[in-house]
Amino acid sequence: MCGIIAYAGPRSAVNLLIDGLHRLEYRGYDSAGLAVQGSRGELQVEKRVGRVIELERAIGPEIKGTTGIAHTRWATHGGVTRENCHPHLDSLQRIAVVHNGIIENMGPLKARLLSEGVRFRSETDTEVIVHLIAHFYDGMGALGDSVSPDVAGDPVVALRSALARLRGTWGLAVLFADHPGVVFAARNGSPLVVGLGDGETFLASDPHALTPHTRRVVFLQDGELARIDSAGVQTFRIDGVTSKHKVDTLAEEWGDSELGEFPHYMLKEIHDQPEALRQCLGGRLVPEDGTARLGGLDLGPRELVKLPHVALMGCGTAYHACLVGAGAIEALARIPARAEIASEHRNRNPVIDPEALYFAVSQSGETADTHGAVKEVQVKGGQVMGVVNVVGSSIARACGRGVYIHSGPEMAVASTKAFSNMVAALLLFALQLGRARAMSPHAGKELALALQDVPNRVARYLAQPGPIEEMVRAVVGAKMVLFLGRGGSAAVAAEGALKLMEVAYIPCVAYPSGEMKHGPIALLEKGSPVVVIAPDDELKDKTLSNLQECRARGARVLLIHTEGDLEAAALADVAIAVPRCHPLLSPLLTVLPLQLLAYRAGLALGRDIDRPRNLAKSVTVE
Ligand code: F6R
């Protein structure tokens, strides 16, 4: 989704901004632009629809300076056009703004500005912000308010006055031609982090853009404004009072954000999974006691036994991990656990039990819907813990306590290794909770040892993935692909369908197998591909009955089954075996061929694998 990078310091800003935009590309975007202050402070702007490389090629040698702001846009208000690209300028071209987020009261504000003679050049909500700032900057008392003329020309007052009239979310970086060498910033619901260098300062919406330059950072808080120059940062509250800020150090992460020998991040990240799982499980399993310890939760057995139930909230792939986690918690701890789509949870005025435990599950830690769900639980007195990949992200900080899943940087838009590590983290919790309740030491030890070995089994599968290409041939020309599974495998079916849709753009439908006969069976005709996930567990026989029902209607069955289960394999048109494992861990193995299927199908159809159309890596709008 939209990305921001800004720089103030002694170096040439253009290269640093372009490099920063490249580091934000993985988030998904459709256009890019930048503004750099010239030698007299004047604002030089370039923007392009398409890739950052196209912007880079368009920047002429005349654009130079040492202070600038830049942006990758993911269209919300207005089409993907050059006019709608950020930065946006005020009428006199003295103020430039880049913006992440959505202004909800754009309509009435724009109407008032139009009535006062302002001419708009774009369809964006962001342009409303820059004209609003300009009105206050001129001391004009925009929109009928009066502003004292003696504060005209004060950028912080102009920003505060404008922000006070906005409703919605923003991460803003602003340049004023009259204030060379300074970037102004404001945050409300859309992340911004300041990077403190040696005689230079950066601003970004994602710490990943800062790590080549510095690991000393200040996370801006909601409602805060900042003034950034080469010497550092000053922060203010919206009422103008200077606020104190904390300097954090970004931890070194395992793993590489470079492609290495792989042609795509998605493939690299699929192959990262054995090591990613080791990073997540390492130091958290206690096989001798048959349990796990998640220090970041800071919950002892006395607190765990009192939990009446657990609720897990996430979106997309993270929601699928929640489904697996909820099943494991119920199975091992014998207390109710439910997974819920975060956007539904936040908006349905949920009943919150202050005694229960809520988890917010998110790779990026920035998903607006999940963040909103966290706030809703907290407002109602509930306890939320994060299950998050990105250290220091908004959700991690809002929760305060939780589990980092340690996947390493996930750059492909389609989430793969984060799914596995979310599942692994939730399985660790289920084991810890299960042991604090009724689970026996023997059963605990068995699961702990199985978890310890799971990275090896994942590696063994990935070394010999089976006839993926045969499955690809069956799905690439299909009108629709049906995915079926039961229990944890129903969540894997949903995840496999999501991956194939987002990477290959093939319509997919996922259903718990038992539901098939209640509707989706009507879709089946001769040759329809049906992906069945049927590991050798207590639900297998029922799933195989559904498989037979599909065969009876002429469907082409693509089966994911357990190694050595020849009886199941014999029922399929194409069968892919995954290593045998503890039944609760099977999602960590059965998801692998589905990730490869999506990748290979996307490749066969010539899709943009790492940046599928219309999608964003981190969905920071509601
Ligand atoms: C699918 C995918 C999305 C994300 C969803 C939540 O491959 O990447 O469905 O899973 O947008 O993102 P996070 O986990 O960052 O909250």
Side-chain angles (χ1 to χ4, degrees), residues 286-308:
V286 196
E288 59 282 11
D289 295 340
T291 189
R293 255 179 232 127
L294 292 167
L297 297 184
D298 199 17
L299 290 176
R302 289 177 71 83
E303 285 143 315
L304 289 172
V305 285
K306 288 189 204 137
L307 288 179

Side-chain angles (χ1 to χ4, degrees), residues 506-576:
I506 299 173
C508 297
V509 179
Y511 262 84
S513 314
E515 274 293 287
M516 184 199 51
K517 56 190 174 295
H518 299 292
I521 198 165
L523 294 170
L524 297 184
E525 48 193 45
K526 195 164 168 26
S528 304
V530 179
V531 178
V532 181
I533 297 106
D536 193 6
D537 57 21
E538 59 187 18
L539 300 171
K540 181 189 80 172
D541 289 342
K542 288 185 190 299
T543 305
L544 293 185
S545 303
N546 304 127
L547 180 160
Q548 297 279 24
E549 289 158 10
C550 296
R551 271 165 63 97
R553 279 142 190 100
R556 199 165 152 68
V557 173
L558 315 176
L559 177 71
I560 313 298
H561 68 100
T562 303
E563 198 170 63
D565 187 353
L566 302 181
E567 181 206 356
L571 300 174
D573 294 283
V574 184
I576 291 186

Side-chain angles (χ1 to χ4, degrees), residues 582-596:
H582 188 292
L584 284 177
L585 309 190
S586 73
L588 293 171
L589 288 147
T590 53
V591 78
L592 303 171
L594 304 184
Q595 294 171 342
L596 289 170

Side-chain angles (χ1 to χ4, degrees), residues 314-320 361-368 370 395 410 412-416 418 422 495 498-499 502 615-619:
C315 302
T317 289
Y319 168 65
H320 299 150
V361 182
S362 173
Q363 187 285 130
S364 62
E366 300 296 349
T367 300
T370 311
I395 293 173
E410 193 181 63
V413 164
S415 187
T416 53
M422 286 167 183
E495 176 59 8
L498 178 67
K499 285 292 93 97
E502 66 180 330
L615 286 171
K617 182 66 185 161
S618 136
V619 185

